[in-house]
Amino acid sequence: MGTRARLYERAATGQGLGPLWFLDAGRTFFAGPLIYNAPHQHGAPVFLAGLYGPFGLRVQGGSWQACRTALVPAGVVHELDVGGEPIAVFYLEPSIDGAHALAPLVANAREEQGALFGGGGGLPLLRELWEAPDAAGWAGEALTDVVDVSRRRARAVLDPRIQRVAAAMTDAERVPELAALAREVGLSPSRLQHLFTDEMGVPFRRYRAWCRMRRAIGEIAVGSSFTTAAHAAGFADQAHFTHDFRRTFGAAPSQSLRGVRL
C-alpha cells in the first residue's frame, strides 16, 4: 500500500477542527465527533452518515444496528453510539421537503422500526465538509447539491399547506400562533393540528419546540453565548435551554456546541 491512504482513512485536515454547524431556514447540518446520545426524538427527519466507518443506532428500544448511513423520521425515538468518531447529521425541514427527499441517500437500505438503515458507504461530499477548514463558507451550496441529487430520486410529496405552515414557522423570529397559521392555509386549528401530525409524524407543538431549538443553535453557531442564545430563542434561561437540548439530542450541548467553527 505504501503511503497511499486507505479507503475512509481520516484525512490530516480533519484533525483538530471544531464541530461544524450550518443552519438556514430549511436545513440544519452538523459534522463532528460524538460519543453516545441517549434516547431522543426530533421535530424533523434526520439523515446520519458515519464519515469514516459505521456507527451504532438503536430505534424505538429495539436491537442495536451497525450502519454507515441511516434515516430516522421525525418523532421516532432513537439513540446513537458513535464511539467518538466523526458523524454527519442532516435535518431537512418540511418547508423544503419531507423525509422521502432524504431516503435515496441511504445506500442498500433496509427498514426497521420506522427507520432506514444503510450498509453502503457514506457520502464523500459530507466527509469533505468535515475535513475542510473553510467548510462554513460553502456548506450551504454543498447541501443544496446533496438534496437536489436525492430529491430527483424521490417520489412522495408533502401536503403544500403543511409546507407553507412549516416555512412560516422556520422563517419567523417568533413562531406564529396556531390560529394565525390555520387562517393562512384555510383550515381550522384542530384540522391543521391533525393534518400536521399526519404529514410530519410529530405534533404541531413538538415541531414548534424544534424550531425554537434551531433558533438557539443558530445563535450559538455564529458566536453568541449559551445564555444570549437561550434568551433570543425564547427560553427562560440557559438551564431551560440545556434541559431541552438534552431531551432533543440525548446529550449535553457542550458535547457539540463548544469550539464551533465560525
Side-chain angles (χ1 to χ4, degrees), residues 4 25-26 30 36 56 69 72 79 82 89 94 105 129 163 165 172 177 198-199 225 231 240-243 259:
R4 185 178 178 183
F30 165 81
Y36 169 74
T69 56
V72 182
E79 55 192 301
V82 190
V89 183
L105 298 177
L129 277 172
Q163 285 187 307
V165 167
E177 294 297 324
D198 289 344
E199 291 286 309
S225 69
H231 289 157
H240 187 193
F241 163 69
T242 298
H243 176 269

Side-chain angles (χ1 to χ4, degrees), residues 50 67 77 101 143 179 199 232 255 262:
C67 51
V77 177
L143 294 175
E199 291 286 309
Q255 184 175 333
L262 302 176

